[in-house]
């Protein structure tokens, strides 16, 4: 197993340290190489040295919110970076299989189209996305990912590479970065539960996501890449939950019951037992454009690959919250 890591001023590899131990326990080789998707010569050198049989391209400027602030960098890494990898593969290692981390963000704009709520329903129905749903990216991140998605499909059709796109909806775990909403919630509430004098500041509480468990989704990546025929697959749970619901569930695991008061930017969540303010809305965490209710149908992945998620929303929140309570 070989991994590509970016050079950073301080080492931040704690999330992959476990891989080294796991490889060692199985007597498998494990090697890290410096590389960067914006540096084609470096990529070519690593691929030439390693001669991989499968490449999983999970490298990305993966924060959608930050892509509004660094759109050109997002494009260089998330769009052109993928072209660089594919072109090196085509020229030097065409037998290698390729997995591209495509994304549900490609469908974002579909959620902004008006949809009719059924009579008596509290909100509009979810937009259920499949491999044939139209792409409507609504962030610099998603626009770059659409290019990468199309290039991957093009190298498959045009040059016969075994190149696949996994169109993954949100996938979370205790390894999630702290500036993504799920981990931000569990890490902050865990610190508060352990006595920290903090408030959890969030953006849009009513944003909805189809949240699954990352290990299930990594299994899907492997199934997609090792399938006989390369293709594109949606990987999702098929249901959405709001940021607000995530907060309530996580707070319950930490021993709090949230009572919401106020509206819009003045809304806050209080601990019902003590009246202490635990959650507040902070306008800077809102995005210029965001979506709030798309979910995915993984019917094709189930039919062709036999993939199904094993962990539902409630258990996912428990796993993340319990892990952060343990760390805190
Ligand atoms: N990050 C963040 N921070 N998001 C917040 C916050 C906050 O304080 N408050 C509310 N949100 C809302 C965002 O506006 C968004 O609607 C939702 O919570 C989820 O945001 P993120 O956790 O940042 O994830 P994402 O959905 O934008 O993107 C993730 O999933 C995609 C699909 O798999 C990333 O992992 C992407 O790289 C990935 O493509």
């Amino acid at each position: 197993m070989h991994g590509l890591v970016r050079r950073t001023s301080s080492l931040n590899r704690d999330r992959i340290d476990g891989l080294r131990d796991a490889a060692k326990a199985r007597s498998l080789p494990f090697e890290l190489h410096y590389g960067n998707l914006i540096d084609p010569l470096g990529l070519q050198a690593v691929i030439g040295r390693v001669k991989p049989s499968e490449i999983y391209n999970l490298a990305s400027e993966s924060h959608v919110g930050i892509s509004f602030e660094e759109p050109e960098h997002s494009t260089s890494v998330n769009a052109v970076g993928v072209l660089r990898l594919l072109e090196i593969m085509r020229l030097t290692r065409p037998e290698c299989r390729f997995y591209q981390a495509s994304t549900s963000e490609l469908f974002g704009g579909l959620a902004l189209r008006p949809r009719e709520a059924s009579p008596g329903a509290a909100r509009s129905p979810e937009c259920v996305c499949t491999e044939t749903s139209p792409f409507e990216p609504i962030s610099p991140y998603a626009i770059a990912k659409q290019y990468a998605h199309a290039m991957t499909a093009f190298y498959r059709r045009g040059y016969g590479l075994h190149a696949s796109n996994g169109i993954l909806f949100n996938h979370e775990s205790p390894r999630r970065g702290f500036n993504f909403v799920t981990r931000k919630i569990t890490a902050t509430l865990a610190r508060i539960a352990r006595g920290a004098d903090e408030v959890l500041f969030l953006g849009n509480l009513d944003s909805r996501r189809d949240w699954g468990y990352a290990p299930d989704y990594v299994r899907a990546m492997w199934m997609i890449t090792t399938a006989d025929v390369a293709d594109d697959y949606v990987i999702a749970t098929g249901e959405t939950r709001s940021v607000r619901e995530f907060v309530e569930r996580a707070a319950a695991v930490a021993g709090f019951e949230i009572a919401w008061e106020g509206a819009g930017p003045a809304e806050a969540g209080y601990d019902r037992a003590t009246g202490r303010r635990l959650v507040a809305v902070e306008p800077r965490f809102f995005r210029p454009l965001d979506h709030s209710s798309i979910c995915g149908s993984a019917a094709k992945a189930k039919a062709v690959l036999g993939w199904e998620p094993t962990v539902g929303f409630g258990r996912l929140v428990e796993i993340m919250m319990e892990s952060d309570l343990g760390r805190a």
Side-chain angles (χ1 to χ4, degrees):
M1 193 173 3
H2 295 263
L4 200 66
V5 289
R6 266 174 305 158
R7 190 264 164 190
T8 48
S9 58
S10 52
L11 287 186
N12 59 353
R13 302 204 189 138
D14 49 314
R15 287 183 294 171
I16 57 171
D17 281 344
L19 286 177
R20 187 186 297 278
D21 302 336
K24 214 173 176 184
R26 291 173 178 77
S27 303
L28 293 170
F30 180 87
E31 223 179 302
L32 296 179
H33 309 263
Y34 280 112
N36 196 316
L37 288 201
I38 61 176
D39 174 20
L41 289 179
L43 292 175
Q44 193 171 347
V46 173
I47 291 174
R49 218 164 42 238
V50 170
K51 301 193 174 27
S53 51
E54 294 165 15
I55 293 180
Y56 293 81
N57 179 35
L58 313 184
S60 171
E61 282 299 333
S62 65
H63 199 286
V64 178
I66 294 172
S67 79
F68 288 95
E69 294 175 40
E70 295 188 330
E72 188 179 331
H73 187 54
S74 177
T75 304
S76 183
V77 175
N78 296 341
V80 188
V82 181
L83 171 64
R84 293 179 184 119
L85 274 178
L86 286 164
E87 189 60 2
I88 293 167
M89 271 180 56
R90 178 178 81 83
L91 295 171
T92 68
R93 194 117 186 109
E95 68 276 35
C96 179
R97 294 181 174 209
F98 183 76
Y99 173 87
Q100 167 60 13
S102 199
T103 167
S104 53
E105 287 298 299
L106 300 184
F107 304 122
L110 300 182
L112 304 180
R113 291 185 187 173
R115 274 161 294 139
E116 271 188 28
S118 43
R123 56 186 172 83
S124 313
E126 264 137 19
C127 176
V128 183
C129 302
T130 70
E131 293 77 5
T132 55
S133 299
F135 293 150
E136 269 193 42
I138 53 168
S139 63
Y141 167 85
I143 292 166
K145 283 283 189 175
Q146 182 177 9
Y147 173 98
H149 182 102
M151 270 303 172
T152 302
F154 166 70
Y155 272 72
R156 178 173 73 232
R157 295 190 191 118
Y159 299 124
L161 295 193
H162 192 293
S164 304
N165 285 295
I167 310 171
L168 271 50
F169 279 67
N170 298 51
H171 39 291
E172 316 294 315
S173 84
R175 289 187 182 166
R176 191 47 139 158
F178 291 105
N179 60 355
F180 294 90
V181 77
T182 55
R183 188 73 196 286
K184 182 173 170 182
I185 294 169
T186 58
T188 312
L189 288 178
R191 288 195 299 273
I192 293 173
R194 296 286 185 245
D197 182 20
E198 268 188 77
V199 173
L200 169 61
F201 288 100
L202 292 171
N204 187 355
L205 295 169
D206 295 314
S207 211
R208 302 182 73 85
R209 286 293 185 271
D210 177 335
W211 274 301
Y213 185 45
D216 278 340
Y217 289 50
V218 173
R219 188 165 41 86
M221 294 175 194
W222 175 77
M223 291 171 109
I224 290 170
T225 311
T226 54
D228 288 343
V229 180
D231 205 346
D232 304 330
Y233 293 93
V234 165
I235 302 296
T237 71
E239 61 168 12
T240 68
R241 304 296 183 126
S242 66
V243 171
R244 185 187 300 280
E245 281 172 273
F246 198 105
V247 171
E248 288 167 358
R249 286 273 192 139
V253 179
F256 302 113
E257 192 189 343
I258 302 275
W260 299 102
E261 282 179 31
E267 186 167 10
Y270 296 85
D271 174 23
R272 204 178 284 280
T274 61
R276 175 179 166 189
R277 188 177 67 144
L278 300 179
V279 188
V281 172
E282 166 63 58
R284 85 187 154 95
F285 294 124
F286 282 77
R287 297 174 185 173
L289 208 50
D290 200 358
H291 61 89
S292 65
S293 58
I294 53 166
C295 66
S297 162
K300 178 176 166 185
K302 185 176 178 191
V304 180
L305 306 172
W307 180 85
E308 274 188 280
T310 64
V311 171
F313 176 75
R315 184 67 196 127
L316 168 66
V317 180
E318 274 170 18
I319 291 171
M320 293 183 69
M321 197 62 233
E322 282 163 6
S323 166
D324 276 326
L325 283 169
R327 282 163 169 258

